[in-house]
């Protein structure tokens, strides 16, 4: 009695090249900073509080992108004797920090 031992294989690669993630973050950060500058200048010239608050919102987005970029770069570092697992969980810690920061900001806004 013969039976088949072939197994189904598939790839979980979604086409994201980890080497290019740093470039994507830098482009995103650069474009957002440029947009913040334009919003601040336009907001001051036109005395528009809505443009200035949106610039502040975009500034928090830039801070999150910078934090993520740092975490991704740290996650690529090799393990050492002190950090035997390396820095792979820095991305999770960065996401946690960002979530806590947003919750604090929401609390402050709700209080005001």
């Amino acid at each position: 009695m013969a039976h088949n031992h072939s197994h189904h294989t598939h790839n979980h690669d979604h086409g994201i090249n980890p080497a290019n993630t740093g470039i994507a973050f830098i482009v995103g950060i650069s474009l957002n900073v440029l947009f913040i500058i334009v919003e601040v200048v336009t907001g001051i010239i036109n005395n528009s509080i809505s443009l200035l608050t949106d610039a502040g919102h975009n500034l928090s987005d830039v801070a999150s992108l910078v934090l993520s970029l740092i975490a991704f770069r740290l996650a690529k570092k090799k393990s050492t004797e002190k950090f035997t697992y390396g820095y792979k969980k820095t991305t999770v810690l960065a996401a946690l920090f960002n979530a806590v920061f947003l919750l604090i900001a929401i609390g402050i806004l709700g209080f005001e």
Side-chain angles (χ1 to χ4, degrees), residues 55-88:
H57 168 252
N58 284 336
L59 185 62
S60 69
D61 291 343
V62 168
S64 295
L65 286 171
V66 169
L67 184 65
S68 298
L69 177 62
I70 292 169
F72 275 119
R73 289 200 174 162
L74 280 174
K76 291 180 183 180
K77 289 183 83 170
K78 301 288 183 197
S79 60
T80 63
E81 278 193 35
K82 186 175 181 181
F83 297 104
T84 56
Y85 187 68
Y87 298 90
K88 296 191 187 325

Side-chain angles (χ1 to χ4, degrees), residues 9-38:
T9 60
H10 59 278
N11 188 355
H12 289 278
D13 183 20
H14 297 286
I16 298 172
N17 184 356
N20 292 338
T21 55
I23 295 169
F25 275 109
I26 291 170
V27 168
I29 290 166
S30 301
L31 290 174
N32 268 313
V33 167
L34 180 65
F35 194 70
I36 289 169
I37 293 168
V38 169

Side-chain angles (χ1 to χ4, degrees), residues 67-68 71-72 74-75 83 86-101:
L67 184 65
S68 298
F72 275 119
L74 280 174
F83 297 104
Y87 298 90
K88 296 191 187 325
K89 294 295 180 186
T90 55
T91 55
V92 175
L93 291 174
L96 176 66
F97 177 79
N98 190 30
V100 169
F101 179 75

